[in-house]
Amino acid sequence: MIEPDIFPIEPWQVREVALDLGLLAQTESVFALSNGHIGLRGNLDEGEPHAIPGTYLAGFHEQRPLPYAEPGYGYPEAGQSVVDVTNGKLIRLLVDDEPLDVRYGDLVRHERLLDLRAGTLSRDLEWVSPAGKRVRVRSTRLVSLTHRALAAIVYEVEAVEGETRVILQSELVANEAQPPPSVDPRIAAALTNPLVAVSQDHQAYGATLLHRTHSSGLLVAAGDDHAYDAPSTVVVEQDTREDWARTSFATTLPAGGRLRVVKYIAYGWSGVRSEPALRDQVSAALTGARVSGWEGLLAAQREFLDDFWQGADVEVDGDPVLQQAVRFGLFHVLQSAARTERRAISSKGLTGPGYDGHAFWDTEGFVLPVLIATYPTAARDALRWRFSILDQARARARTLGLRGAAFPWRTIAGDECSAYWPAGTAAFHVNADIAYAVERYRAATGDVDFDRDVGIDLLVETARLWVSLGHHDRHGVWHIDGVTGPDEYSAIADDNVFTNLMAARNLRAAAKACGRHPHRAKDLGVTDQEEAAWQLAASTVAVPYDEELGVHQQSAGFTRYREWDFERTYKENLYPLFLHAPYVELYRSQVLKQADLVLALHWCGEDFTPEQKARDVDYYEARTIRDSSLSACTQAVMCAEVGHLDLAYDYATEAALIDLRDLHRNSRDGLHMASLAGAWVAFVEGFGGMRESEGRLSFNPALPDGLNRLAFHLRWQGALLHVTVTHELATYTVEGGPIVLYLDGETVEVPDGETVTRPVVRRQPLLPRPSQPPGQAPRRAHRT
Amino acid sequence: MIEPDIFPIEPWQVREVALDLGLLAQTESVFALSNGHIGLRGNLDEGEPHAIPGTYLAGFHEQRPLPYAEPGYGYPEAGQSVVDVTNGKLIRLLVDDEPLDVRYGDLVRHERLLDLRAGTLSRDLEWVSPAGKRVRVRSTRLVSLTHRALAAIVYEVEAVEGETRVILQSELVANEAQPPPSVDPRIAAALTNPLVAVSQDHQAYGATLLHRTHSSGLLVAAGDDHAYDAPSTVVVEQDTREDWARTSFATTLPAGGRLRVVKYIAYGWSGVRSEPALRDQVSAALTGARVSGWEGLLAAQREFLDDFWQGADVEVDGDPVLQQAVRFGLFHVLQSAARTERRAISSKGLTGPGYDGHAFWDTEGFVLPVLIATYPTAARDALRWRFSILDQARARARTLGLRGAAFPWRTIAGDECSAYWPAGTAAFHVNADIAYAVERYRAATGDVDFDRDVGIDLLVETARLWVSLGHHDRHGVWHIDGVTGPDEYSAIADDNVFTNLMAARNLRAAAKACGRHPHRAKDLGVTDQEEAAWQLAASTVAVPYDEELGVHQQSAGFTRYREWDFERTYKENLYPLFLHAPYVELYRSQVLKQADLVLALHWCGEDFTPEQKARDVDYYEARTIRDSSLSACTQAVMCAEVGHLDLAYDYATEAALIDLRDLHRNSRDGLHMASLAGAWVAFVEGFGGMRESEGRLSFNPALPDGLNRLAFHLRWQGALLHVTVTHELATYTVEGGPIVLYLDGETVEVPDGETVTRPVVRRQPLLPRPSQPPGQAPRRAHRT
């Protein structure tokens, strides 16, 4: 947990006013910088102390065998793990002859600041060495959102009192020692010395190190270059070895004198290109950096972000805590994806090694909806990554005895890496989630090229999976048996409502795509019979409903299962449950790790009546414990929809604060991108009531009591839409083109530059505020 | 596969008339000798060539970590593997200066003979060395059924032509090299050098080696001693090292002269006792052997077996193939258990390393019913072993959030070793299977001491498991959800009929045991309320039935699952399925690895009407592929009961011939004890129609057309019962006390020495002979 006073509440920044070594692990994640291609954990410049040293490149991974005590057919044989690559952010400082280390001497002042508009992490400290020498150090780092291969640091040391000899050692270090492994399955597998030195090169002010991974055989190049400025002579030395390269700057500063070094860091990696090609790529990036200069990079960074925030910001009036949190979340979601291009966006972005750096359905289900509305090219590229692994997904489907494509449950490079099939392979819904994102992207952008070149293939191949997986019973009802839905405390169940309805959407979307692109459909071998089979399956899909209780069943038979003894679990402090109860107990009980049926209510809302939604929310609220971070945002949206605005507010707060408060106690391993994205979802789709259905954008807003005003900005079909909601009114302003909205049951075309206003009707819930399992109610939202 | 002509059809022996090195692995299993404590694979005396060298001691195992790519709560951390202990059966021969090796020189003749009445394995060979020296070697080995710690070999070499120098090297060898590991999950994990030398000792004609396992810390002592006889001077040498001890006998034989060496081998192991204690134990056993002498051991062996066969033999008139096979099976079942005493009877006995030497529910479900009727003290001891691991089973239940005892799915020493929980932990039925064997043992023996000291504890603790696992729905129906029944191609299912009915039996049996032993019940903390809860659960148990199809559902919803494409599987030769299809596909389909609902029809027959049995057999026959060896016997019994006698005959044949024909192509790793026992079950409970219910022994015999007469002999309440069945008549003869039978609906007390006769009515099936999946029909029975 991170106490509320650690980060002052400020609207556009996250600032740590004093260094807390007990929170070092968490702040390394919170202060991580990334452009989606390069990720730097917020490690201290001098490298130590650290909790988890981390420098990551999207897609760069090592392979390792997956062990099975009892092997089984179709089990993936190799896992993939994100690699802590060559650390380029390391800058050590010697003050006279003592290394700057915050654990020694006297740390007079230490502040770190993540600036959400500048896109930088700054540090400002004053330190007195054990021998009594006082220095002030200021550093600012950025990972460039405009230059994909670049990061940069400006590091300035000032002699506060008296003449001071300083030596600044700027390094590249490969194969950093990692913390020991853990038994918690959410934590990464430990890799020891994953990089093999290939070659080294150096110039006067920098070096380039090339390494290759042992098993996956990927080549990575890391290079640096420096510029410096000081009032007196600076002696520069360069020393390069296989696993490190050091550029040293030695000078003697007069009192008040400053040594300022700008470090440019460039990365490149490939599984295909040659060593010279990579070396040249890094060199070119460094040349570009020198041309831009630090100020140029800084300006470009701000310009990029100004543009982003214009079409992405969420303004929360009345709750500064949430205001900060939601922007923090949006910033990190952008960082996770901006320049990832056709690589996987991992569930932790590039902020930590958690979950081995794998991408899950989180990306399509939670992160992409935000990107589609705020930075659609990143969403497009993420889906193009799925397209790029289609052949692997096809092969996986064959292995599983299925047609079409079976996308991996967890992966970096496209191959299934899930070693526990009941919660991996069986969670086929990832395929429908991809189709869902494809459709959302198309609706929001009208990107016809994507639809024809990428979207239809993804829709058709996932549709094929579903018809081969499901079957019609003797009464013609279409079932999908023995699969796992979103809730990971259930598995191998029949007719999971979420999966069934999402599969049906997937099938219908595929059929429509074929109608839009008949030539491509023909190329893909789609026949009329096949389309008819898709339509038939979709129209006869089973949706288990408990007539007695008047609620939907998460899966067939679920509402007949034994109830969980939440009282005991709470009293004996057994959360998270998966560390205290076996799957065999969880799976047969009515206990939900995360929203499942309720996610169906959100994503497939048109398949349920308002009364069903109210009753279903009520039922599953009492049984959902949110041991997963993929739950609070969905509960926020559906609680808002059925009129529990206050409860929705609590859930929105939980989703938004997950990492700023370390609510799941594992922010150390990286940030929860889906939950951070979920905060946006909670505001925009929860309180804003935004929905997209069949390409129609609708809003049905309502605010909880604690908020005065909510404004959000998003991109739709190339234009900007600004939405402002108060308790009385909602206004919709369009910039850059007309947008057609669906408001209060009617279609409204809002022309460029115009605003329409609609009254907000106070929402009345059908049922009283539901209760949650003891101890598992979301914390009351932060009210000011 | 083993072709039918490999072993001549002889009623009381299995003889291999020529050595087939391609079948060496299988014949090592077929010719294995064991007394249930010591097991010697049928390796050639000279050790090489071999497929799998094997010397096993019941319960003696090594521990190894179980790896998980994705760990989970409650997963067993350590596995147990049977260890190939110090090989004492090794006798090498040098003829002049060339080692006897069947791969070199000229093997003129080679015969091996397993004598089912003598309890010995003999070998008779004539070999001409590469240099042209001709010798005849005769050896006979036994593992004593009367001296638990002893094995013995008599080895005789004769110089056929001319003076021959022979050196016989008799050895003890620890840490023999093992064959490389395989990916097939049924095969053992490889252990390399599992034994650490502790101490050695030797005398003039023998030695003792003590070793300890690395991880499990078990101590094993192996000792040998020798007697010899020759026409000329014999020089004896003894040489002992850490991992081997060699006693050499060198002599020069005249033409026709013979060197005869008797080797006594003794074993002891313990996890508790000291090194001197074990050394002395082995020494004492060797002293005993010398006192008995070879002839004494041989005579005792035959006497033991004469007694056994008197109350165990099954006579099959009309089918000599089956006659041989059923006796072969009974012999091995006896060998697997006779002196196992309070250790686990493993699924392969002590014939090979398959399944890591683990015991499963096979023991209680298939092996113990045979032992209860033929050698009840071994059954008693096997159940006492379960009693001895009750504390481990209680602890396991706690780990799983349950009450009572959760017996391990697979184990050697009592701890759960199953690393795949859906087919391990979730297969809770093992608990009811233990209770079932407890009840059968009590009914057959009337052993009150056992009932009071052991049985009630097992019944009560397993009953407690069920009530904590199951629950009553809102209509009061009692369900057991999310468990795995016998069929391993289904898992994590609700209301598995077999499990539910067996659990109900278990609950009722526990309640009755408490009525018989109220004091013990009180000690166990059983209250009236608890008993009432057992009775209520048992009386309200859910039994899923498909009204439309008129058949029971293996588990809830099963008959609605998709049908398997058996045609394709057959055409593409994809059997066994688990090597060609993922669990996620198998589990959602109507394909059975083995009898499941049909096993419920057998064991819980009184819960079904004859019509239901006929329809259920018909339905499941079409969907059962017998990738498991635990199926044919059950199908035999139920096919016989519903009137498909011809089909039952085929299944009985398959069960009986599983290892003599290597039908599952893995007899190399050890014999299938449950299937061998199942052959007895097929004859006695199938064609003999024997059932035991509430202590009442009944028969309802009927023979298939191919058989003329079936006779079987068994023990009941201390007396012997001889049953003879022809197509017209059944006779029941009692020896040693009255036996109450239930025949044709009435109770008949048959006095000592008397015979009752009943007509046999020709059985008419309700439905036509059912079909099986393509290619999976049992092979037509062998008719003469």
Side-chain angles (χ1 to χ4, degrees):
Chain A
M1 291 284 290
I2 300 177
E3 295 305 316
D5 58 351
I6 295 294
F7 305 121
I9 305 308
E10 291 159 340
W12 281 104
Q13 61 194 30
V14 176
R15 194 159 56 90
E16 181 202 41
V17 293
L19 186 64
D20 183 339
L21 290 180
L23 293 175
L24 199 57
Q26 292 93 324
T27 54
E28 283 171 0
S29 300
V30 165
F31 292 139
L33 290 183
S34 172
N35 61 8
H37 176 59
I38 302 169
L40 309 182
R41 272 176 75 80
N43 300 119
L44 301 178
D45 297 302
E46 58 276 16
E48 292 172 38
H50 64 237
I52 302 173
T55 302
Y56 311 109
L57 297 176
F60 191 82
H61 68 278
E62 177 57 318
Q63 226 172 36
R64 61 195 168 88
L66 290 175
Y68 300 100
E70 294 186 25
Y73 172 86
Y75 286 8
E77 288 172 15
Q80 299 168 352
S81 289
V82 64
V83 174
D84 177 27
V85 299
T86 312
N87 182 0
K89 61 190 183 297
L90 197 65
I91 299 180
R92 296 195 212 272
L93 179 68
L94 259 84
V95 177
D96 285 349
D97 57 353
E98 287 172 309
L100 168 62
D101 187 313
V102 296
R103 292 168 295 191
Y104 303 104
D106 184 12
L107 188 64
V108 181
R109 189 161 49 79
H110 192 284
E111 181 174 292
R112 289 190 286 178
L113 188 156
L114 179 69
D115 187 320
L116 307 175
R117 279 189 296 202
T120 55
L121 176 68
S122 305
R123 184 186 186 202
D124 188 347
L125 70 88
E126 197 167 317
W127 183 70
V128 180
S129 75
K133 269 288 160 70
R134 181 181 295 256
V135 291
R136 182 175 179 185
V137 171
R138 275 170 289 201
S139 73
T140 301
R141 67 170 74 148
L142 62 78
V143 177
S144 176
L145 292 159
T146 55
H147 292 72
R148 185 164 180 258
L150 274 187
I153 306 172
V154 58
Y155 189 100
E156 188 179 85
V157 51
E158 174 185 339
V160 177
E161 303 160 345
E163 196 178 76
T164 306
R165 190 157 40 92
V166 297
I167 304 175
L168 189 154
Q169 299 172 306
S170 174
E171 302 192 27
L172 299 171
V173 177
N175 290 318
E176 294 176 297
Q178 299 297 313
S182 153
V183 295
D184 187 328
R186 297 168 296 184
I187 295 174
L191 295 173
T192 306
N193 296 334
L195 301 173
V196 182
V198 172
S199 69
Q200 306 80 41
D201 187 28
H202 66 99
Q203 312 85 35
Y205 299 125
T208 302
L209 300 182
L210 272 92
H211 284 83
R212 197 185 292 280
T213 51
H214 287 272
S215 296
S216 57
L218 305 180
L219 200 62
V220 59
D224 63 2
D225 199 0
H226 300 81
Y228 65 92
D229 182 47
S232 39
T233 310
V234 178
V235 176
V236 182
E237 280 181 3
Q238 222 297 325
D239 196 358
T240 295
R241 307 291 168 87
E242 287 204 329
D243 272 2
W244 54 264
R246 189 167 60 213
T247 308
S248 304
F249 303 86
T251 190
T252 302
L253 293 174
R258 295 175 185 179
L259 169 63
R260 181 175 188 269
V261 171
V262 179
K263 180 178 193 175
Y264 303 110
I265 312 150
Y267 288 98
W269 78 263
S270 178
V272 179
R273 281 180 304 143
S274 71
E275 200 188 312
L278 271 187
R279 194 169 46 228
D280 288 353
Q281 178 184 345
V282 161
S283 172
L286 291 172
T287 303
R290 281 192 300 266
V291 169
S292 295
W294 169 257
E295 295 303 328
L297 291 174
L298 209 57
Q301 189 86 338
R302 184 174 290 270
E303 192 183 337
F304 181 99
L305 284 165
D306 283 348
D307 188 57
F308 170 72
W309 286 117
Q310 201 195 356
D313 191 25
V314 175
E315 301 165 52
V316 184
D317 282 11
D319 190 334
V321 170
L322 268 189
Q323 175 62 81
Q324 179 186 43
V326 73
R327 284 183 178 140
F328 169 81
L330 271 169
F331 178 77
H332 271 297
V333 167
L334 175 72
Q335 286 207 126
S336 76
R339 304 303 306 274
T340 307
E341 298 173 7
R342 300 181 194 179
R343 302 276 177 207
I345 299 173
S346 97
S347 66
K348 303 284 183 190
L350 296 172
T351 65
Y355 290 113
D356 279 335
H358 289 169
F360 296 76
W361 70 294
D362 310 26
T363 303
E364 282 79 9
F366 298 87
V367 172
L368 292 200
V370 180
L371 291 172
I372 286 165
T374 60
Y375 194 65
T377 59
R380 180 199 63 204
D381 289 348
L383 293 169
R384 280 188 178 270
W385 168 67
R386 288 292 188 186
F387 180 74
S388 77
I389 64 167
L390 199 45
D391 278 346
Q392 287 151 283
R394 286 191 186 103
R396 179 72 181 152
R398 290 311 87 76
T399 299
L400 300 174
L402 297 168
R403 297 190 62 228
F407 282 97
W409 176 246
R410 56 187 301 175
T411 192
I412 294 176
D415 290 316
E416 178 63 87
C417 295
S418 175
Y420 176 59
W421 76 263
T425 301
F428 287 105
H429 69 84
V430 62
N431 296 283
D433 306 329
I434 293 168
Y436 167 75
V438 164
E439 281 297 276
R440 280 192 73 148
Y441 172 76
R442 189 180 63 83
T445 62
D447 185 340
V448 176
D449 290 346
F450 173 87
D451 189 37
R452 184 194 58 240
D453 299 341
V454 173
I456 185 172
D457 288 44
L458 291 170
L459 293 172
V460 164
E461 291 294 48
T462 47
R464 284 174 166 159
L465 180 88
W466 293 117
V467 286
S468 69
L469 183 61
H471 80 116
H472 293 275
D473 69 18
R474 50 189 182 265
H475 303 289
V477 179
W478 190 65
H479 301 272
I480 303 173
D481 296 320
V483 303
T484 300
D487 170 32
E488 294 177 357
Y489 287 169
S490 302
I492 329 280
D494 301 336
D495 287 328
N496 173 261
V497 170
F498 174 84
T499 304
N500 283 16
L501 291 178
M502 289 292 288
R505 285 177 73 107
N506 192 160
L507 292 165
R508 283 189 291 256
K512 283 190 188 156
C514 291
R516 287 191 302 274
H517 306 288
H519 292 300
R520 182 66 197 138
K522 207 179 150 203
D523 290 347
L524 288 166
V526 180
T527 60
D528 289 350
Q529 291 86 330
E530 187 171 20
E531 279 191 55
W534 297 346
Q535 299 282 12
L536 180 65
S539 63
T540 57
V541 65
V543 181
Y545 183 76
D546 187 322
E547 296 285 349
E548 275 183 28
L549 297 179
V551 297
H552 284 88
Q553 298 187 298
Q554 175 173 313
S555 300
F558 184 82
T559 54
R560 212 264 296 128
Y561 281 178
R562 70 188 301 147
E563 299 283 359
W564 190 264
D565 186 351
F566 292 110
E567 269 305 341
R568 183 179 150 255
T569 305
Y570 177 56
K571 271 196 289 198
E572 299 181 10
N573 194 21
L574 302 181
Y575 292 111
L577 266 188
F578 64 90
L579 295 181
H580 299 95
Y583 290 124
V584 71
E585 187 182 9
L586 294 170
Y587 290 177
R588 70 171 185 273
S589 308
Q590 291 196 54
V591 53
L592 283 74
K593 188 177 182 188
Q594 64 218 96
D596 188 306
L597 189 280
V598 170
L599 188 61
L601 300 181
H602 177 196
W603 291 3
C604 308
E606 57 269 53
D607 294 317
F608 300 88
T609 67
E611 291 70 23
Q612 286 175 340
K613 287 178 182 172
R615 299 184 64 89
D616 287 347
V617 165
D618 190 68
Y619 188 84
Y620 288 98
E621 274 292 300
R623 290 158 180 86
T624 306
I625 59 174
R626 302 190 316 292
D627 275 352
S628 164
S629 61
L630 304 188
S631 195
C633 65
T634 302
Q635 290 174 267
V637 171
M638 286 315 302
C639 284
E641 182 172 337
V642 305
H644 304 307
L645 289 160
D646 203 46
L647 181 56
Y649 190 12
D650 296 346
Y651 282 127
T653 304
E654 183 173 295
L657 289 177
I658 186 160
D659 289 314
L660 282 177
R661 295 284 186 280
D662 192 16
L663 297 179
H664 275 247
R665 296 170 193 272
N666 60 356
S667 296
R668 56 169 280 130
D669 301 311
L671 304 180
H672 301 77
M673 288 305 156
S675 185
L676 296 178
W680 180 94
V681 173
F683 278 99
V684 174
E685 307 195 3
F687 303 130
M690 184 177 93
R691 294 288 186 281
E692 180 274 305
S693 172
E694 305 286 330
R696 204 166 67 174
L697 186 65
S698 64
F699 291 89
N700 181 19
L703 293 189
D705 280 345
L707 296 185
N708 306 322
R709 174 181 162 276
L710 169 69
F712 53 88
H713 310 267
L714 51 85
R715 297 174 193 278
W716 182 262
Q717 305 270 1
L720 278 174
L721 177 65
H722 308 286
V723 180
T724 304
V725 181
T726 66
H727 285 280
E728 293 78 31
L729 290 176
T731 66
Y732 306 89
T733 303
V734 170
E735 195 183 333
I739 294 181
V740 177
L741 300 179
Y742 190 74
L743 301 173
D744 304 328
E746 59 183 36
T747 301
V748 184
E749 177 166 330
V750 189
D752 182 14
E754 301 276 307
T755 296
V756 298
T757 300
R758 285 287 182 282
V760 169
V761 183
R762 194 165 177 84
R763 198 165 293 172
Q764 293 300 338
L766 183 74
L767 299 171
R769 178 178 163 126
S771 58
Q772 292 75 38
Q776 296 307 100
R779 240 154 319 183
R780 299 297 301 160
H782 214 272
R783 310 287 150 69
T784 51
Chain B
M1 291 285 290
I2 300 176
E3 295 305 317
D5 58 350
I6 295 295
F7 306 121
I9 305 307
E10 291 159 340
W12 282 105
Q13 59 194 33
V14 176
R15 194 159 56 91
E16 181 203 41
V17 293
L19 185 63
D20 183 339
L21 290 181
L23 294 175
L24 199 57
Q26 292 93 323
T27 54
E28 284 171 1
S29 300
V30 165
F31 291 139
L33 290 182
S34 172
N35 60 9
H37 176 59
I38 301 169
L40 309 182
R41 272 176 74 81
N43 301 118
L44 302 179
D45 297 301
E46 58 274 19
E48 291 172 39
H50 65 237
I52 302 173
T55 303
Y56 312 109
L57 297 176
F60 191 83
H61 68 279
E62 177 57 319
Q63 226 172 35
R64 62 194 168 89
L66 290 175
Y68 300 100
E70 294 186 24
Y73 172 87
Y75 286 9
E77 288 171 15
Q80 298 168 352
S81 288
V82 65
V83 174
D84 176 28
V85 300
T86 311
N87 182 0
K89 59 192 182 297
L90 198 65
I91 299 180
R92 297 195 212 274
L93 179 68
L94 261 83
V95 178
D96 285 347
D97 56 356
E98 286 172 309
L100 167 63
D101 187 315
V102 295
R103 293 168 294 191
Y104 303 104
D106 184 14
L107 188 63
V108 181
R109 190 162 48 79
H110 191 282
E111 181 174 291
R112 290 189 286 177
L113 188 156
L114 179 69
D115 187 319
L116 307 174
R117 280 188 294 203
T120 56
L121 176 69
S122 304
R123 184 186 187 202
D124 188 347
L125 68 89
E126 197 167 317
W127 183 70
V128 180
S129 75
K133 269 289 158 69
R134 182 181 294 258
V135 290
R136 181 175 181 189
V137 173
R138 276 170 288 200
S139 73
T140 300
R141 66 170 75 147
L142 63 79
V143 176
S144 175
L145 291 159
T146 56
H147 292 71
R148 185 165 181 257
L150 272 186
I153 305 172
V154 57
Y155 188 102
E156 190 179 84
V157 51
E158 174 184 339
V160 177
E161 306 161 342
E163 195 177 77
T164 307
R165 190 158 40 91
V166 297
I167 303 175
L168 189 155
Q169 299 172 306
S170 173
E171 302 193 27
L172 298 173
V173 176
N175 291 317
E176 294 176 295
Q178 299 297 313
S182 154
V183 295
D184 187 327
R186 298 166 295 185
I187 296 173
L191 295 173
T192 306
N193 295 332
L195 300 173
V196 182
V198 172
S199 69
Q200 307 79 41
D201 188 28
H202 66 98
Q203 311 85 35
Y205 298 125
T208 302
L209 300 182
L210 273 91
H211 285 81
R212 196 185 293 280
T213 51
H214 287 273
S215 296
S216 58
L218 305 180
L219 201 61
V220 59
D224 64 2
D225 199 359
H226 300 82
Y228 64 93
D229 182 47
S232 39
T233 309
V234 178
V235 176
V236 182
E237 281 181 4
Q238 221 296 325
D239 196 358
T240 295
R241 307 291 168 87
E242 287 204 329
D243 272 1
W244 54 264
R246 188 168 60 213
T247 309
S248 304
F249 304 85
T251 189
T252 302
L253 293 174
R258 296 175 186 180
L259 169 63
R260 182 177 189 268
V261 172
V262 179
K263 179 180 194 175
Y264 303 110
I265 312 149
Y267 288 98
W269 77 265
S270 176
V272 179
R273 281 180 305 144
S274 70
E275 199 189 314
L278 271 186
R279 193 170 47 230
D280 287 357
Q281 179 185 343
V282 162
S283 173
L286 291 171
T287 303
R290 282 190 300 266
V291 169
S292 295
W294 169 257
E295 295 303 331
L297 290 174
L298 210 55
Q301 189 85 337
R302 185 173 291 270
E303 191 182 336
F304 180 98
L305 283 165
D306 283 348
D307 188 55
F308 170 73
W309 287 116
Q310 201 195 357
D313 191 25
V314 175
E315 301 166 52
V316 184
D317 282 11
D319 190 333
V321 171
L322 269 188
Q323 175 63 82
Q324 179 186 41
V326 73
R327 284 183 179 142
F328 169 79
L330 271 169
F331 177 77
H332 272 296
V333 168
L334 176 72
Q335 284 207 127
S336 75
R339 305 302 306 273
T340 309
E341 297 175 7
R342 300 183 195 178
R343 303 277 178 207
I345 300 173
S346 96
S347 64
K348 303 284 184 190
L350 296 172
T351 65
Y355 291 113
D356 279 333
H358 288 170
F360 296 76
W361 71 294
D362 311 26
T363 304
E364 282 79 7
F366 298 87
V367 173
L368 293 200
V370 180
L371 291 172
I372 286 166
T374 60
Y375 194 64
T377 59
R380 179 199 65 203
D381 289 349
L383 293 169
R384 281 189 177 270
W385 168 67
R386 288 292 188 186
F387 179 75
S388 78
I389 63 166
L390 198 45
D391 278 345
Q392 287 151 282
R394 286 191 185 104
R396 180 72 182 152
R398 291 309 89 75
T399 298
L400 300 174
L402 298 168
R403 296 188 64 228
F407 282 97
W409 176 248
R410 56 188 300 174
T411 193
I412 294 176
D415 291 317
E416 179 62 88
C417 295
S418 174
Y420 177 59
W421 75 263
T425 301
F428 286 105
H429 68 82
V430 61
N431 296 282
D433 306 328
I434 293 168
Y436 167 75
V438 164
E439 282 296 276
R440 281 192 74 148
Y441 172 76
R442 188 180 64 82
T445 62
D447 185 339
V448 177
D449 292 346
F450 173 87
D451 188 37
R452 185 193 57 239
D453 299 342
V454 172
I456 184 173
D457 288 44
L458 291 170
L459 294 171
V460 164
E461 292 292 49
T462 48
R464 285 174 166 160
L465 180 89
W466 293 116
V467 285
S468 69
L469 183 62
H471 80 115
H472 293 275
D473 69 18
R474 49 188 182 268
H475 303 289
V477 180
W478 190 66
H479 301 273
I480 303 173
D481 296 321
V483 303
T484 301
D487 169 32
E488 294 177 359
Y489 287 169
S490 302
I492 329 280
D494 301 335
D495 288 327
N496 173 261
V497 169
F498 174 84
T499 304
N500 282 15
L501 291 177
M502 288 293 287
R505 285 177 74 106
N506 192 161
L507 291 165
R508 285 189 290 259
K512 283 191 188 156
C514 291
R516 289 192 302 273
H517 305 289
H519 292 300
R520 183 65 196 139
K522 210 180 148 200
D523 290 347
L524 289 166
V526 180
T527 61
D528 289 351
Q529 290 88 331
E530 188 171 20
E531 279 191 55
W534 297 346
Q535 299 282 11
L536 180 65
S539 63
T540 57
V541 66
V543 181
Y545 183 76
D546 187 322
E547 296 285 351
E548 276 181 27
L549 297 179
V551 297
H552 285 89
Q553 299 187 299
Q554 176 173 313
S555 299
F558 183 83
T559 54
R560 211 265 296 129
Y561 282 0
R562 70 186 300 143
E563 299 284 0
W564 190 263
D565 185 352
F566 292 110
E567 270 304 342
R568 184 180 148 254
T569 305
Y570 176 57
K571 269 195 292 196
E572 299 181 10
N573 193 21
L574 302 181
Y575 292 110
L577 266 189
F578 65 90
L579 295 181
H580 300 96
Y583 290 125
V584 71
E585 188 181 8
L586 295 170
Y587 290 178
R588 70 171 184 273
S589 308
Q590 291 196 54
V591 52
L592 282 72
K593 187 177 183 188
Q594 65 219 96
D596 186 306
L597 189 280
V598 171
L599 188 60
L601 302 180
H602 178 196
W603 291 3
C604 308
E606 57 269 53
D607 294 316
F608 300 86
T609 67
E611 290 73 20
Q612 287 175 339
K613 288 177 182 173
R615 299 185 64 90
D616 287 346
V617 164
D618 190 68
Y619 188 85
Y620 288 98
E621 273 294 300
R623 291 158 180 85
T624 305
I625 60 175
R626 301 189 317 290
D627 276 351
S628 165
S629 62
L630 304 188
S631 195
C633 65
T634 302
Q635 291 173 264
V637 171
M638 286 314 302
C639 284
E641 182 172 337
V642 303
H644 305 307
L645 289 161
D646 202 45
L647 181 55
Y649 189 14
D650 296 346
Y651 281 127
T653 304
E654 182 172 296
L657 288 177
I658 185 158
D659 289 313
L660 282 177
R661 294 286 186 277
D662 192 16
L663 297 180
H664 277 246
R665 297 170 191 271
N666 61 355
S667 296
R668 55 169 280 130
D669 301 310
L671 304 181
H672 300 77
M673 288 305 157
S675 184
L676 297 178
W680 180 94
V681 173
F683 278 98
V684 175
E685 307 195 3
F687 304 129
M690 183 178 93
R691 296 286 187 280
E692 179 272 309
S693 171
E694 305 285 329
R696 204 165 68 173
L697 187 65
S698 63
F699 292 89
N700 180 21
L703 292 189
D705 280 345
L707 296 186
N708 307 321
R709 174 183 164 275
L710 168 69
F712 52 88
H713 310 267
L714 51 85
R715 296 173 194 279
W716 182 263
Q717 305 269 1
L720 279 173
L721 177 65
H722 307 286
V723 180
T724 303
V725 182
T726 66
H727 286 279
E728 292 77 31
L729 288 178
T731 65
Y732 306 88
T733 303
V734 170
E735 193 182 337
I739 292 181
V740 178
L741 300 178
Y742 189 75
L743 302 173
D744 304 327
E746 59 183 36
T747 302
V748 185
E749 178 166 330
V750 189
D752 184 13
E754 300 278 307
T755 296
V756 299
T757 300
R758 286 284 184 282
V760 168
V761 183
R762 193 164 177 86
R763 199 167 292 174
Q764 293 301 338
L766 183 72
L767 299 172
R769 178 177 164 126
S771 60
Q772 290 75 38
Q776 296 306 102
R779 237 151 324 179
R780 301 294 302 161
H782 214 274
R783 309 285 150 71
T784 52

